[in-house]
Amino acid sequence: QPSNFQEGSDVLLKRGECRAKGGAPGFKVAILGAAGGIGQSLSLLMKMNPLVSVLHLYDVVNTPGVTADVSHMDTGAVVRGFLGQQQLESALTGMDLVIIPAGVPRKPGMTRDDLFKINAGIVRTLSEGIAKCCPNAIVNLISNPVNSTVAIAAEVFKKAGTYDPKRLLGVTTLDVVRANTFVAEILGVDPREVDVPVVGGHAGVTILPLLSQVKPPSSFTAEETEYLTNRIQNGGTEVVEAKAGAGSATLSMAYAAAKFAGACLRGLKGEAGVVECAFADSQVTELPFFATKVRLGRAGAEEVYQLGPLNEYERIGLEKAKRELAGSIQKGVEFIRK
Ligand code: NAD
Ligand code: LMR
């Protein structure tokens, strides 16, 4: 096995910790599902983040190769690999942030909910490990269906007595990334100058872009609003169909996950004004979880923002989103309670 795999990395780990103390503050980050389509690119991007001092790569297959490969990058983070469930606890112990892209992706013709059967059990097992080994870590949950898997993780944490609503975040950043891109195309501007709040959840009609709140302030015709809303809601399906059976979004998702995880780390470091959309424990609607903008700080999602003023089109969309979300959340809750 490569020297940075498992026990062999202790020397490197100590050096890594020294380096982190002497330089920028470093956080310990684990990626669960690190050998997958999202996981590999995300491992690369997190290895490039200067706020990461230690990077643990966990999967049930192929982590030795991914770990050896990523560890050769001349960036600060020390990389360690963990293979199989018997190494899950070592992978998680001491982590500040755990990112979860583990689980099966969609094929054409499937909904995200069709993944529940397999991914619900995976998320349960991984959440049990987190509750035991790093109950104070911030969790970024990517595995679909996010509208249900966040509820599953929350129930596992509640059962273990470790649930902190501020620290469990479903990752919806890809919806915002897509919305910024598609809106920028219509406006003819650089997507980096655009900010579209996307609220609700992460599947079909539960993905609700608030085009009336786009920054910079912009107006859209009814036709543009319809086109943009449909394209943002079906962005995942667009990729699934284009990949024609070879999976779903991995590269844009790794980018989005790295952006969101980077924001969580900047919040943990104490940076002010770090705001991202996320699917979190929420009192914004009558539902227990809902995606809105949240302010990320040392404690996780320290503030959950209200929706702000909605137009008629968005109010109708919100009612549709809530109806579907309620069932998906309940399905996740029942998976653990029953
Ligand atoms: P993939 O099949 O390429 O990779 C998944 C990885 O998870 C594999 O390496 C697999 O070995 C691993 N895995 C399976 N069971 C595991 C377990 N018990 N513990 C640890 N690892 C395990 O899939 P992908 O394309 O990387 O997608 C992963 C998940 O992310 C899917 O559920 C997909 O729907 C979801 N996804 C979410 C978003 C989002 O916006 N939230 C975007 C894209 C994909
Ligand atoms: C996405 O939005 O790309 C992901 O949720 C993957 C999928 O199945 O669409």
Side-chain angles (χ1 to χ4, degrees), residues 36-38 58-59 61 101-105 119 122 142 144 171 202 249-250 253:
I38 297 167
Y58 171 82
D59 204 303
V61 292
V104 291
N119 290 353
I122 294 174
I142 296 169
N144 270 317
V171 181
H202 179 68
T250 52
M253 183 58 230

Side-chain angles (χ1 to χ4, degrees), residues 105-106 112 115 144 174-175 178 202 207 235-237 239-240 248-249:
R106 282 200 285 164
R112 291 178 182 81
L115 306 172
N144 270 317
L174 183 53
D175 301 315
R178 286 177 177 142
H202 179 68
I207 300 170
T237 305
V239 179
V240 168
S248 57

Side-chain angles (χ1 to χ4, degrees), residues 157-204:
F157 296 157
K158 282 178 194 167
K159 238 181 167 175
T162 65
Y163 182 52
D164 177 352
K166 296 190 182 70
R167 294 182 189 269
L168 173 60
L169 301 166
V171 181
T172 59
T173 318
L174 183 53
D175 301 315
V176 175
V177 163
R178 286 177 177 142
N180 291 346
T181 304
F182 304 154
V183 165
E185 268 171 28
I186 293 276
L187 297 178
V189 299
D190 185 326
R192 288 168 295 187
E193 290 163 17
V194 177
D195 178 35
V196 187
V198 183
V199 302
H202 179 68

Side-chain angles (χ1 to χ4, degrees), residues 263-282:
C264 289
L265 294 180
R266 287 191 285 119
L268 273 182
K269 197 183 99 186
E271 194 176 308
V274 182
V275 175
E276 294 286 339
C277 287
F279 186 66
D281 195 302
S282 167

Side-chain angles (χ1 to χ4, degrees), residues 1-13 80:
Q1 281 182 339
S3 62
N4 60 322
F5 197 73
Q6 275 296 292
E7 291 78 11
S9 65
D10 284 347
V11 174
L12 282 173
L13 185 63
R80 304 178 82 196

